[in-house]
């Protein structure tokens, strides 16, 4: 049981009930109190309450009025009425409004314990049923999302069976790459693993909050505004197209119908050459030669054109898949040990953005190229990477990225990425993140600096982004980590 609300105008009785709840043996996360029905109703509007104990006779709004008014709310608590009057008419009226139990003052501890155990069991069973229903409902919504030819009968059946879990009014669909996340909120429906995407169906008014919280820095595609389950396939396709644009151009949010920047035709013509047959074959045939710099240059030009919006996301996807197919045919014997990694790389949009994909791809490409024709000057690269590590340790709290560091040591960006991972055992982003988190842990444990000050001290301007990274790395929030360290 998560939340209990006690509504009673007499302070001593209210605190006595709270103590009985605490000693009942039923685990309750939050116990709230108030002294009249008006305040209770405001609490019920703002927060989901599992169980409410309410007196009947109170100032401003009595218990009967309270349970009548709360029938208008989306979430109604399991309610226990408490009265000092053994009046059957009160009991009848309260039960008519859905009150589960009616007890008389003075309240007995054994009665509170008995009722709480009963209601806790009911809540647990209800949540189990709701969880099963939501899981089945989400599977049905996935089916609708992925089938543009879904029949009106199928939509009607889904609305009849699972309409309560969907939204009335307008909504957006958002797409991002797939990853594990915490439980969803009521403002949106979360569909995990729809093709290569995670899908969020969010109420119109809740979109800004979703983008500022769960989808902050997540490279998201957002559909146009829609309503009704039948519009889901169209909304999903809009969101998916926008998501691919966000991925390819490294934009954190792309909305359906967003105006694309105008690119001169002569520039587009040059970019089109990068996906033509001749250039494609050149990228394949460069592998296994002694022209490592040419390999890097060819792919840098290709990825740059994609990021700049000169190559469409669909053409980018086709070019990458064709490259893997042709490399597999050309180097069939050598590719067998690489299959697991190339299978992963072929699921392109599982990556958050093109920068992350390019880094992983180029690491694999250069390793495979080296496997075919080893020519990397190992000692020279080690010295340069050690210089890079020293530079990062001295400047981790500044606005660092891989381009800045590779320029600092005068090494090609992609070659630096590959060599850095070979030397440190970690990619650049994770290495820098772990360095910053370790310093943050030291400051949390050894100073009284505020979290926002520590965030800035270790190189994060956005406190929410820092807290999200810290929790994903350490399993607890910065405040929880500090508290745990103080207990040692």
């Amino acid at each position: 049981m998560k939340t209990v609300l006690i509504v009673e105008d007499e302070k001593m009785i209210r605190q006595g009930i709270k103590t009985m709840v605490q000693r009942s043996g039923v685990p309750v996360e939050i116990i709230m109190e108030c002294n009249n029905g008006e305040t209770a109703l405001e609490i019920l509007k703002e927060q989901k309450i599992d169980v409410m104990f309410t007196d009947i006779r109170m100032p401003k709004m009595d218990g009967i009025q309270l349970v009548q008014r709360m029938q208008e709310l989306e979430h109604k608590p399991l309610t226990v009425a408490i009265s000092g009057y053994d009046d059957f008419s009160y009991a009848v009226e309260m039960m008519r409004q859905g009150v589960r139990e009616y007890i008389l003052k003075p309240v007995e501890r054994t009665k509170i314990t008995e009722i709480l155990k009963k209601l806790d069991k009911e809540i647990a069973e209800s949540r189990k049923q709701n969880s099963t229903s939501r899981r089945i409902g989400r599977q049905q919504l996935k089916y609708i999302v992925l089938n543009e030819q879904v029949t009106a009968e199928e939509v009607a059946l889904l609305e009849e069976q699972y309409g309560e879990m969907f939204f009335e009014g307008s909504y957006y669909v958002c797409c991002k790459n797939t990853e594990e996340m915490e439980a969803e909120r009521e403002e949106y429906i979360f569909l995990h693993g729809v093709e290569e995407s995670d899908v969020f169906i969010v109420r119109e008014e809740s979109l800004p909050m979703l983008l500022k919280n769960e989808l902050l820095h997540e490279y998201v595609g957002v559909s146009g505004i829609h309503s009704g389950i039948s519009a889901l396939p169209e909304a999903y396709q809009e969101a998916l197209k926008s998501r691919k644009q966000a991925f390819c151009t490294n934009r954190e949010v792309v909305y359906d119908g967003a105006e694309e920047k105008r690119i001169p035709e002569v520039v587009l013509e040059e970019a089109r050459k990068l996906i033509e047959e001749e250039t494609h074959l050149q990228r394949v045939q460069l592998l296994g030669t002694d022209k490592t710099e040419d390999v890097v240059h060819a792919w840098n030009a290709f990825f740059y054109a994609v990021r700049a919006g000169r190559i469409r996301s669909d053409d980018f996807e086709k070019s990458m898949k064709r490259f893997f197919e042709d490399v597999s045919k050309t180097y069939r014997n050598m590719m067998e040990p690489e299959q697991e990694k190339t299978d992963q790389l072929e699921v392109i949009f599982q990556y958050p953005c093109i920068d992350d994909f390019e880094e992983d791809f180029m690491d694999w490409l250069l390793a495979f190229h080296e496997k075919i024709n080893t020519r990397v000057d190992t000692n020279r690269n080690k010295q340069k990477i050690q210089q890079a590590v020293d530079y990062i340790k001295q400047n981790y709290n500044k606005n660092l990225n891989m381009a800045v560091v590779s320029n600092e040591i005068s090494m090609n960006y992609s070659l630096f990425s590959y060599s850095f991972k070979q030397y440190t055992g970690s990619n650049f982003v994770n290495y820098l993140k772990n360095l910053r988190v370790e310093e943050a842990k030291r400051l949390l444990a050894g100073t009284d600096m505020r979290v926002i000050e520590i965030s800035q001290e270790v190189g994060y301007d956005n406190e929410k982004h820092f807290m999200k990274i810290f929790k994903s790395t350490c399993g607890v929030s910065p405040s929880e980590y500090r508290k745990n360290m103080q207990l040692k």
Side-chain angles (χ1 to χ4, degrees), residues 176-195:
K176 63 178 287 293
N177 67 304
T178 59
E179 63 179 350
E180 295 300 322
M181 64 166 284
E182 296 179 2
E184 65 189 57
R185 296 205 310 262
E186 294 172 3
E187 291 82 2
Y188 62 81
I189 297 168
F190 174 59
L191 304 179
H192 178 58
V194 180
E195 297 180 311

Side-chain angles (χ1 to χ4, degrees), residues 144 147-148 150-152 155-156 158-159 166 171 226-235:
I144 294 289
N147 288 273
E148 296 184 65
V150 66
T151 66
V155 172
L158 184 62
E159 288 176 335
F166 205 70
Y171 64 84
H226 292 272
S227 61
I229 291 177
S230 61
L232 272 176
E234 180 183 357

Side-chain angles (χ1 to χ4, degrees), residues 196 243 247 316-318 320-321 324 344-352 357:
E196 296 177 24
R243 153 65 188 155
F247 172 97
F316 161 70
E317 186 176 10
K318 289 175 185 175
M320 291 308 308
K321 290 188 174 180
F324 285 118
Q344 175 189 330
L345 286 166
E346 286 187 68
V347 189
I348 296 169
F349 296 106
Q350 70 175 314
Y351 291 85
F357 172 77

Side-chain angles (χ1 to χ4, degrees), residues 56-321:
I56 291 181
R57 298 211 172 192
M58 296 180 293
K60 296 186 179 180
M61 180 186 291
D62 63 29
I64 294 177
Q65 292 172 313
L66 172 59
V67 295
Q68 288 172 339
R69 292 285 302 278
M70 79 180 192
Q71 302 309 312
E72 304 167 4
L73 303 178
E74 184 177 357
H75 298 292
K76 296 177 277 292
L78 301 179
T79 302
V80 181
I82 303 173
S83 174
Y85 301 89
D86 190 6
D87 189 329
F88 183 69
S89 63
Y90 283 123
V92 171
E93 180 58 29
M94 296 293 272
M95 296 298 180
R96 185 180 292 124
Q97 298 297 330
V99 171
R100 298 304 181 90
E101 301 285 343
Y102 182 88
I103 57 179
L104 295 174
K105 297 177 183 179
V107 179
E108 298 178 0
R109 178 180 169 183
T110 55
K111 190 66 176 174
I112 291 288
T113 299
E114 176 189 332
I115 289 171
L116 279 175
K117 287 183 177 178
K118 176 182 175 182
L119 296 181
D120 188 52
K121 183 178 179 182
E122 182 178 337
I123 289 169
E125 290 175 351
S126 175
R127 284 177 177 165
K128 184 177 180 181
Q129 291 174 357
N130 288 340
S131 177
T132 301
S133 178
R134 283 196 300 271
R135 187 174 66 253
I136 296 171
R138 282 194 291 265
Q139 291 299 323
Q140 295 299 317
L141 287 177
K142 281 187 182 181
Y143 171 75
I144 294 289
V145 162
L146 294 172
N147 288 273
E148 296 184 65
Q149 305 303 320
V150 66
T151 66
E153 290 77 10
E154 288 176 310
V155 172
L157 182 61
L158 184 62
E159 288 176 335
E160 180 182 343
Q161 292 180 329
Y162 304 104
E164 289 186 4
M165 71 171 286
F166 205 70
F167 306 134
E168 294 183 1
S170 301
Y171 64 84
Y172 292 93
V173 170
C174 303
C175 280
K176 63 178 287 293
N177 67 304
T178 59
E179 63 179 350
E180 295 300 322
M181 64 166 284
E182 296 179 2
E184 65 189 57
R185 296 205 310 262
E186 294 172 3
E187 291 82 2
Y188 62 81
I189 297 168
F190 174 59
L191 304 179
H192 178 58
V194 180
E195 297 180 311
E196 296 177 24
S197 302
D198 279 351
V199 173
F200 297 75
I201 307 168
V202 58
R203 299 178 191 274
E204 177 185 3
E205 64 275 13
S206 301
L207 178 64
M209 189 61 67
L210 179 65
L211 294 176
K212 288 180 181 178
N213 289 285
E214 285 88 341
L215 299 184
L216 182 67
H217 304 314
E218 290 288 1
Y219 306 96
V220 181
V222 182
S223 74
I225 193 164
H226 292 272
S227 61
I229 291 177
S230 61
L232 272 176
E234 180 183 357
Y236 169 67
Q237 290 301 322
E238 292 173 356
L240 183 61
K241 181 180 178 182
S242 299
R243 153 65 188 155
K244 290 181 177 181
Q245 290 176 1
F247 172 97
C248 288
T249 57
N250 283 328
R251 284 185 283 172
E252 292 187 359
V253 183
V254 172
Y255 296 89
D256 175 64
E259 185 176 348
E260 298 183 18
K261 63 180 182 181
R262 295 181 180 179
I263 301 172
E265 183 58 33
V266 64
V267 175
L268 289 175
E269 183 60 35
E270 286 299 311
R272 279 193 282 271
K273 293 178 183 177
L274 296 174
I275 57 176
E276 289 177 351
E277 177 75 10
E278 182 180 348
T279 315
H280 165 77
L281 289 176
Q282 182 184 33
R283 287 194 292 267
V284 174
Q285 291 165 358
L286 277 171
L287 287 175
T289 69
D290 61 355
K291 300 178 180 178
T292 303
E293 291 296 331
D294 289 349
V295 172
V296 172
H297 176 75
W299 282 102
N300 282 350
F302 176 74
F303 282 115
Y304 176 82
V306 176
R307 269 194 298 273
R310 299 171 187 177
I311 295 176
R312 296 186 311 167
S313 59
D314 289 347
D315 290 330
F316 161 70
E317 186 176 10
K318 289 175 185 175
S319 292
M320 291 308 308
K321 290 188 174 180

